[in-house]
Amino acid sequence: MENFSSFRRRLRYEYPLAYNLVLIAAIILAIAITAHVVMHVATRHGVRRRVPDFSGVSLFEAQRMARRSDLRLQINDSLFVPAYEGGIVLDQLPQGGVEVKPGRTVYITINSFRQKMVPVPYVADRSLRQAKNMLEIAGLEIGELIYRNDMATNYVLDEYLGKQRITPTSRIEAEMGSGVTLHVGVQPGHRTTVVPQVIGLSLKDAKSRLWELGLNVGKIAFDDGINLLNQKDARVYMQSPVAERHASLGAKVSLQLTLDARKVAVRLKEAEELADEAFRERLQRMEEELGTAAAAPKPETEKPAPAPAEDHAGFFD
């Protein structure tokens, strides 16, 4: 120990530069070791927790389970599913069974005690597209499109929530997701539209696309395994009528949805082929109609009656 002390004194006074460099290196090394130890303790390196499955339990019970597992809960969203009690956990992220570090926040979706009420906007005296957008922003949707003769096509004439007519001064609320009936104008002779391709779209996007073109949503069928929680991930894989066919304004289009991406891809390819065929048939009919109209003989105009012959003999007499 004395030898080390004498060496340190001699190094300090005889070689001050080397002494300072060694001192600085020792301080840096000590700081690095301290930081590593602190980070190791703070992050609990190597310590893992298995996330419990909170689905189907009450919020109070989920919080108790989270504390026991050294995790934190945060409500990220809420839905209203009538089949479950209010306050029940419906979904979570990360999912149950995943290993995470202690203190990790688990985001949960709970079931509301009642459906949220939203004000119904007045959308009459606007185009159908504007009315649809306003309803969607308000958290509502179109329940049914009813067409009436009018001077303007796809112009909203009246709006109803059930049997109650909505006016500019109405102060009516409805459950989020409720459908509003719109009475829409149509010019005589303009009562058809073309069915769009909605295969591959979510139910929400498919509905929106149909409403934009003046069509109603018909029967909706779901494959096994689809529920209110994963419905947003389902995609349309069958529709009737198929795309590119003529349909009357207000006609219904039936949809079937699945969670199987491969099924959607196969059906989409088939649907695109059918749509191309329908488009060519429609184009051919239009060309035939135009050709028939051009080839039709024009009605002959009446020739002017010949002027009566003048009696020249009597004139010169």
Side-chain angles (χ1 to χ4, degrees):
M1 197 68 178
E2 292 180 359
N3 292 336
F4 176 76
S5 299
S6 61
F7 172 76
R8 185 171 64 83
R9 283 196 299 272
R10 192 176 72 174
L11 181 66
R12 179 179 181 182
Y13 293 109
E14 295 182 9
Y15 305 98
L17 180 60
Y19 175 80
N20 289 332
L21 290 176
V22 171
L23 184 61
I24 291 171
I27 293 173
I28 292 174
L29 180 61
I31 292 174
I33 294 173
T34 303
H36 177 74
V37 172
V38 170
M39 289 292 292
H40 186 83
V41 173
T43 59
R44 306 183 193 184
H45 185 70
V47 180
R48 311 290 288 181
R49 293 287 186 271
R50 187 179 297 275
V51 178
D53 185 4
F54 300 115
S55 300
V57 304
S58 67
L59 179 59
F60 176 79
E61 178 64 17
Q63 290 172 335
R64 189 180 67 81
M65 293 167 62
R67 286 194 297 268
R68 194 166 55 196
S69 299
D70 198 9
L71 299 171
R72 293 182 295 174
L73 282 187
Q74 181 172 327
I75 299 174
N76 188 47
D77 197 5
S78 63
L79 299 173
F80 179 69
V81 183
Y84 295 94
E85 296 180 3
I88 295 296
V89 177
L90 299 176
D91 197 12
Q92 67 183 81
L93 187 68
Q95 299 296 325
V98 176
E99 291 189 348
V100 297
K101 291 182 179 180
R104 169 71 184 270
T105 299
V106 179
Y107 298 93
I108 60 174
T109 300
I110 65 170
N111 191 40
S112 299
F113 288 89
R114 57 167 293 181
Q115 181 63 290
K116 182 180 178 182
M117 303 296 289
V118 295
V120 180
Y122 178 69
V123 299
D125 300 328
R126 290 178 173 85
S127 70
L128 177 57
R129 184 184 293 269
Q130 289 175 321
K132 178 192 72 72
N133 291 339
M134 291 176 65
L135 290 173
E136 289 177 345
I137 291 172
L140 303 170
E141 62 179 30
I142 296 174
E144 185 180 8
L145 296 173
I146 299 176
Y147 278 87
R148 301 187 337 217
N149 287 333
D150 190 70
M151 62 184 296
T153 299
N154 282 333
Y155 187 78
V156 180
L157 307 175
D158 278 312
E159 173 188 4
Y160 289 86
L161 179 65
K163 295 183 178 180
Q164 189 168 8
R165 185 170 180 264
I166 307 299
T167 66
T169 58
S170 295
R171 297 293 181 267
I172 300 174
E173 290 189 340
E175 291 185 353
M176 181 176 286
S178 297
V180 176
T181 300
L182 300 181
H183 290 238
V184 189
V186 56
Q187 292 181 3
H190 294 78
R191 288 186 169 273
T192 60
T193 185
V194 177
V195 179
Q197 178 71 275
V198 296
I199 291 180
L201 301 183
S202 65
L203 180 59
K204 179 181 178 181
D205 292 340
K207 286 181 174 181
S208 183
R209 182 65 178 140
L210 293 174
W211 291 328
E212 282 181 357
L213 296 178
L215 295 166
N216 281 306
V217 179
K219 181 181 178 181
I220 300 174
F222 297 96
D223 281 3
D224 293 339
I226 299 177
N227 53 47
L228 291 173
L229 299 180
N230 59 22
Q231 191 180 107
K232 62 181 180 298
D233 299 320
R235 293 294 180 268
V236 177
Y237 76 100
M238 290 182 66
Q239 69 176 86
S240 179
V242 297
E244 293 297 334
R245 297 289 183 183
H246 276 297
S248 300
L249 288 171
K252 294 182 178 180
V253 178
S254 298
L255 307 173
Q256 188 154 351
L257 292 93
T258 184
L259 292 170
D260 190 340
R262 291 176 298 178
K263 187 184 290 187
V264 173
V266 171
R267 292 286 187 176
L268 181 58
K269 184 178 180 180
E270 296 174 356
E272 288 175 345
E273 293 174 355
L274 291 174
D276 288 342
E277 180 182 347
F279 176 75
R280 288 193 296 269
E281 290 177 0
R282 187 156 50 86
L283 191 62
Q284 184 177 357
R285 283 197 302 269
M286 291 174 59
E287 291 175 349
E288 290 175 354
E289 290 173 0
L290 290 174
T292 302
K298 297 182 180 179
E300 295 185 3
T301 56
E302 295 184 0
K303 296 181 180 180
E310 297 180 349
D311 190 358
H312 295 287
F315 183 81
F316 286 104
D317 282 350

